[in-house]
Every structure is written in C-alpha cells, then in structure tokens.
Amino acid sequence: MERFLKKYYAITDRKQFRYGFETQIKRMLDSGIRMFQLREKDLPSDELFELASKMEKLLSGYDASFFVNDRVDIAVLTGANGVHLPSKSIPVEAVKHKFPSLIVGKSCHSVEDAVRAEKEGADYITFSPVFDTPGKGKPKGLEALKEVVKAVTIPVYALGGITEERIPEVLKTGVYGIAGIRLFIK
C-alpha cells in the first residue's frame, strides 16, 4: 500500500485547470506528480466514469496512483487504486469489507476525525484546511496539523492553502505528504 502513496498528491478540479484535462494531467506528470485524486463533484456518473477511464489511461506507464473522490463504484470499475472519502461519506469499514484491495483515504478536520478514520481502517487521511483557502472555513494551522500527525500512525497529507514557499514548514510537522489543487496547477 505504501508504494501507492506518494509525497505530493494532486486533487483535480478541471474548472481551475489552465489547460484541457489531459494536457493538465500530463503537465503534472511531467513535473513529477505521481498521485492523483479525481474530484469532479459536479459531473454526472457517466461523465465521471469517462474521465476516470481517461485518467487510468493517462497514468499508464508511470509509477502513478489515482483515487476517485467518494465514488467507490467508479473507482472499482475503472481500476483506480482507491477511493477518497469526504468527512461526511459512507463508512471506511464498509468499503474495506467489500473491497479489501482498495486503498481508502478519508478527509479529516480535527484530531478526533483523524483518530476515528484510523480506527475505521483508513489507509491515509487528508487534514484541512491548514491555511486559509477560499470557502473552506477557518484555517487549522500548523500546530493542529502536528497534533494530528502525533495522534495517528497512518499517513497524513496536509491540505489547504499550501503554497510552494510553505512546503518546507509544512513538511517539518512530520506529515507524510502534501495534497492540493491549486498548488500543482502549472
């Protein structure tokens, strides 16, 4: 499982992309990104399935992994490495029970969320928002991030408002990696 988790974790939002979907993903691959979450919440199932299938083909030949946001069905059907569950989603253990080979990530916003996700069987978590991010509420900050890292043994990804300049200070907290949307759009 660890081989599928990379240090930098790009989350898609095609509305913020500077280029078409395929070109943007290729640019991210060219810059060294090897872990992706397909997170296109506005798409109907058929279009999301099509995009996930395209993603799987785009990543072929790279040592890259990808996860589908909240859609276990699409993750399984398209050969994704796993699914990333929002904080208000189906239980981790339900996914793990039916699909033990899927890697399951969970969005967390507190130490309690993180501990619960680990107990439920999550393979990794994202903790957010670390810094100010439009529409994501009050930032939690680096101290809260450190607390989460200490509270769990599974990999923790910092998410939210992280810029290239802030990466060194975020990594000093002991996180496994950095997740982001805008951070990886070049």
Side-chain angles (χ1 to χ4, degrees):
M1 191 264 314
E2 291 281 325
R3 73 184 182 97
F4 295 108
L5 300 181
K6 315 297 182 181
K7 184 178 221 138
Y8 298 106
Y9 184 14
I11 301 168
T12 72
D13 181 350
R14 71 194 191 294
K15 291 176 180 173
Q16 293 188 49
F17 283 180
R18 294 182 180 164
Y19 304 93
F21 188 83
E22 289 181 52
T23 301
Q24 190 69 66
I25 297 300
K26 284 179 184 169
R27 289 177 66 90
M28 289 176 178
L29 285 164
D30 289 346
S31 74
I33 304 300
R34 294 293 182 267
M35 185 171 164
F36 297 85
Q37 180 189 141
L38 184 62
R39 184 178 179 267
E40 303 294 337
K41 297 196 235 179
D42 64 315
L43 288 181
S45 297
D46 60 341
E47 290 179 38
L48 186 62
F49 176 81
E50 193 176 304
L51 205 53
S53 298
K54 195 176 284 186
M55 186 81 153
E56 199 265 333
K57 285 179 183 75
L58 284 168
L59 301 183
S60 177
Y62 292 90
D63 179 26
S65 30
F66 95 98
F67 303 82
V68 178
N69 184 68
D70 205 27
R71 294 294 303 268
V72 178
D73 55 342
I74 290 176
V76 170
L77 292 170
T78 59
N81 301 97
V83 65
H84 185 86
L85 301 174
S87 56
K88 306 272 188 225
S89 186
I90 57 177
V92 171
E93 60 266 277
V95 177
K96 286 298 215 176
H97 177 72
K98 291 286 186 187
F99 304 100
S101 64
L102 274 187
I103 297 169
V104 180
K106 180 86 174 184
S107 294
C108 297
H109 308 291
S110 68
V111 170
E112 296 76 28
D113 287 351
V115 169
R116 187 177 323 107
E118 182 174 42
K119 280 185 184 156
E120 290 177 1
D123 296 299
Y124 73 90
I125 62 167
T126 57
F127 178 73
S128 69
V130 176
F131 300 109
D132 193 38
T133 305
K136 295 296 180 186
K138 188 174 186 282
K140 309 291 183 189
L142 292 174
E143 288 307 311
L145 179 60
K146 284 181 197 170
E147 287 177 37
V148 167
V149 169
K150 283 184 198 159
V152 296
T153 60
I154 57 176
V156 176
Y157 285 88
L159 172 65
I162 301 167
T163 59
E164 279 189 52
E165 300 77 41
R166 288 177 163 160
I167 289 174
E169 67 179 317
V170 173
L171 290 175
K172 284 180 188 166
T173 66
V175 293
Y176 188 88
I178 309 280
I181 298 174
R182 291 171 295 154
L183 175 62
F184 302 117
I185 299 173
K186 305 271 185 259

